[in-house]
Amino acid sequence: KCPLPHEYPLHPGNHVDNSLDLWSRTDVQTCTYWGAPIIWDGMFDPEYYDEFYRKQNITVALTVFAVGRYLDLYLEKFLTSAEQHFMVGQRVVYYVFTDSPEKVPKIKMAAFRTLFTFKVEKYSRWQDVSMLRMKMISDIIDSHVRHHAQYIFCLDVDQTFVGRFGTEALGDMVALLHSFYYRRPKFFYTYDQNPKSTAYIKTGDMYYHAAVFGGTWQRVKNLTQICYDAIMQDKMNHVEALWHDESHLNKYFLLNKPTKLLSPEYCWAEYIGYRRDIHVHRLVWAEKNYKFVRQ
Ligand code: UDP
Ligand code: MN
């Protein structure tokens, strides 16, 4: 049984969430057993949220990495589509991490939206590019984000916004349900199975997708720091988690429960096909030729 929204133990004083209608969607799970809402289309009034956060005058940071071929292939589409759909009407600061800053496309941005580029190394292994994002996000929160934004989202670049990704997605600690697994038995979840890895999970509850996570900068700082430490410990022990940063993220969220979950509408893989419970697509995966992009 779901608690009433104002009974959520994890949401003291989070008045905005009292407006979520958990019972408007009877076809899907709208709250977790620990009391975090799962955001589905139809559960919220977008205008209510936008107005609430505009009054708070918040700034949302958005980090994205485009290293090697990922820049040419995905960054422009990612940014232009974010301008159309990501936190529209709010202050947004983009943080683009790339090995070739000179190639970052100049995007026409709405008022109160800015973009900073940071140069990063191109590690020879794509797994390291992906995993070490944790370290760079943790560092940028300390040096920059904490002075400019209250909330931060960290996204993969190989995806495109096609629908509203708005203020209803803001929360203290936000995780995304993976579109492959949200209706599947836990048996299918691809947690790390190696007891030698710090990401090892014997039995979990949800399977989260590392392509999207976010929250307040304080919570995301803690997450990225702990995941990075765990990744480095694995490296010292010569092990690597099955799905790299995603395995570590799942371990972190198992031990530190997110306060808000996003339904797979927030990152849908179109080739899954029609699903009756998916009413809108907000982000969709871009096509990827793995051999080509990861060389
Ligand atoms: N990435 C990158 N260059 C690389 C490898 C990864 O920029 O060589 C970044 C990029 O933002 C990408 C993310 O790391 O979206 C995660 O990697 P990828 O999307 O390939 O992982 P998948 O979603 O396939 O698990
Ligand atoms: Mn990806």
Side-chain angles (χ1 to χ4, degrees):
K1 181 179 167 286
C2 269
L4 292 168
H6 66 268
E7 293 169 347
Y8 287 160
L10 293 169
H11 295 277
N14 195 352
H15 302 296
V16 71
D17 274 348
N18 291 346
S19 74
L20 279 176
D21 182 2
L22 298 179
W23 291 273
S24 59
R25 290 290 300 264
T26 50
D27 57 331
V28 289
Q29 185 185 354
T30 58
C31 114
T32 64
Y33 71 83
W34 63 89
I38 308 174
I39 311 298
W40 289 88
D41 187 53
M43 280 174 55
F44 61 90
D45 172 3
E47 276 167 34
Y48 177 91
Y49 273 87
D50 286 349
E51 186 55 25
F52 178 90
Y53 283 105
R54 252 195 309 272
K55 282 199 198 116
Q56 310 239 324
N57 205 13
I58 59 152
T59 300
V60 183
L62 173 56
T63 68
V64 67
F65 287 70
V67 176
R69 291 191 162 160
Y70 286 71
L71 192 154
D72 303 315
L73 285 171
Y74 304 118
L75 186 61
E76 182 157 9
K77 194 99 189 280
F78 177 90
L79 291 172
T80 49
S81 67
E83 276 301 293
Q84 284 161 8
H85 301 291
F86 181 78
M87 303 291 162
V88 173
Q90 310 292 332
R91 291 170 194 272
V92 171
V93 183
Y94 297 95
Y95 295 86
V96 175
F97 296 82
T98 178
D99 57 330
S100 27
E102 70 288 350
K103 284 204 288 181
V104 172
K106 302 263 177 295
I107 302 293
K108 201 174 162 329
M109 278 188 284
F112 305 114
R113 297 171 79 102
T114 51
L115 184 149
F116 295 101
T117 304
F118 297 88
K119 191 172 162 87
V120 294
E121 219 179 302
K122 182 180 186 307
Y123 298 108
S124 52
R125 298 176 63 245
W126 65 266
Q127 295 91 333
D128 286 332
V129 176
S130 187
M131 287 194 293
L132 297 174
R133 288 183 292 174
M134 291 294 184
K135 164 77 174 148
M136 290 176 250
I137 295 168
S138 168
D139 287 350
I140 203 75
I141 290 174
D142 267 346
S143 63
H144 204 290
V145 175
R146 56 183 296 176
H147 305 297
H148 297 273
Q150 293 74 43
Y151 294 96
I152 174 169
F153 271 96
C154 308
L155 269 57
D156 271 14
V157 75
D158 57 338
Q159 41 194 355
T160 309
F161 292 89
V162 294
R164 174 191 164 91
F165 193 121
T167 48
E168 75 283 359
L170 295 170
D172 287 358
M173 183 87 271
V174 183
L176 168 74
L177 289 180
H178 198 298
S179 53
F180 283 1
Y181 304 108
Y182 76 107
R183 296 209 299 197
R184 295 202 174 184
K186 284 181 197 162
F187 171 79
F188 287 98
Y189 295 0
T190 56
Y191 295 134
D192 184 72
Q193 302 278 319
N194 176 3
K196 292 205 175 81
S197 168
T198 53
Y200 172 68
I201 292 178
K202 201 165 169 200
T203 33
D205 36 36
M206 304 287 179
Y207 192 85
Y208 303 107
H209 191 177
V212 175
F213 61 87
T216 59
W217 67 257
Q218 292 91 336
R219 297 293 292 267
V220 176
K221 167 75 194 171
N222 190 59
L223 178 159
T224 49
Q225 173 132 35
I226 287 184
C227 286
Y228 174 65
D229 290 347
I231 288 165
M232 293 318 279
Q233 196 175 329
D234 276 7
K235 281 192 183 293
M236 280 188 341
N237 296 329
H238 308 288
V239 289
E240 191 162 271
L242 179 65
W243 287 113
H244 320 106
D245 43 305
E246 184 163 277
S247 302
H248 290 280
L249 188 76
N250 271 280
K251 180 65 174 277
Y252 182 88
F253 282 144
L254 180 62
L255 302 177
N256 308 272
K257 299 297 187 209
T259 62
K260 182 176 272 189
L261 270 58
L262 302 179
S263 69
E265 295 164 345
Y266 284 83
C267 188
W268 187 246
E270 281 170 314
Y271 60 81
I272 292 175
Y274 173 75
R275 289 289 180 274
R276 196 174 57 166
D277 48 12
I278 302 294
H279 293 180
V280 306
H281 298 170
R282 301 183 186 281
L283 258 182
V284 294
W285 301 17
E287 256 178 53
K288 188 139 101 247
N289 177 336
Y290 286 89
K291 270 212 180 105
F292 180 76
V293 294
R294 286 177 174 169
Q295 77 161 24

